[in-house]
Amino acid sequence: MLSAVLSELMPGSLIRTFLDGTELVMHLAAHPDQQAPQLMILDYKMPLMDGPAVLNRLQSTHHAFIPAFILSTSQEERDKARCLQAGASGYFSKPTNYGELKFIILEIMRRCEAGGHHSNRK
């Protein structure tokens, strides 16, 4: 569903999906000469390496300043705080339908365009 919304709202953009956080980190490390992603949308509970762990892993790389947003089913403040502390640009509850997801992606795009995607990663 995420790829469909991104394709609709950002036609012509290259969209890459990964099965887990480890695969994402390994891909970025293996392709340092490729243009860095303009945006990352991560699942809080990705297998093998969750969203905050991915952000922590990327802190010391040139990918540290890529806007990264977390989608999560968790309503726990400590989970949100963990993501923001790891450098997430934003944290959103996972939507239950296409319309809600589209609204979230539009908000992410608005924040990125406004420069409000501040990352705490260095």
Side-chain angles (χ1 to χ4, degrees):
M1 188 166 59
L2 180 59
S3 291
V5 171
L6 290 171
S7 294
E8 177 187 342
L9 296 176
M10 301 164 63
S13 295
L14 174 62
I15 299 166
R16 295 207 172 166
T17 59
F18 299 92
L19 297 175
D20 56 62
T22 302
E23 185 180 19
L24 166 62
V25 170
M26 289 175 55
H27 173 82
L28 291 173
H31 301 91
D33 297 332
Q34 283 187 350
Q35 180 180 355
Q38 295 178 340
L39 169 68
M40 289 190 291
I41 299 174
L42 307 171
D43 188 337
Y44 177 74
K45 294 183 180 178
M46 286 186 291
L48 302 180
M49 184 184 302
D50 66 14
V54 168
L55 297 178
N56 284 325
R57 192 61 115 28
L58 297 177
Q59 278 185 0
S60 62
T61 72
H62 68 282
H63 296 104
F65 298 100
I66 299 168
F69 294 86
I70 302 283
L71 296 179
S72 177
T73 58
S74 174
Q75 300 297 319
E76 298 291 328
E77 280 299 314
R78 70 175 181 266
D79 293 337
K80 180 178 180 179
R82 181 175 173 235
C83 293
L84 297 175
Q85 186 175 28
S89 303
Y91 181 93
F92 295 92
S93 293
K94 274 190 182 177
T96 58
N97 61 55
Y98 190 90
E100 289 176 2
L101 180 57
K102 188 173 178 179
F103 179 82
I104 289 170
I105 299 305
L106 286 168
E107 175 61 18
I108 288 171
M109 291 170 64
R110 186 194 65 74
R111 288 186 190 186
C112 288
E113 288 171 3
H117 57 75
H118 180 265
S119 171
N120 297 323
R121 292 173 282 145
K122 297 174 184 159

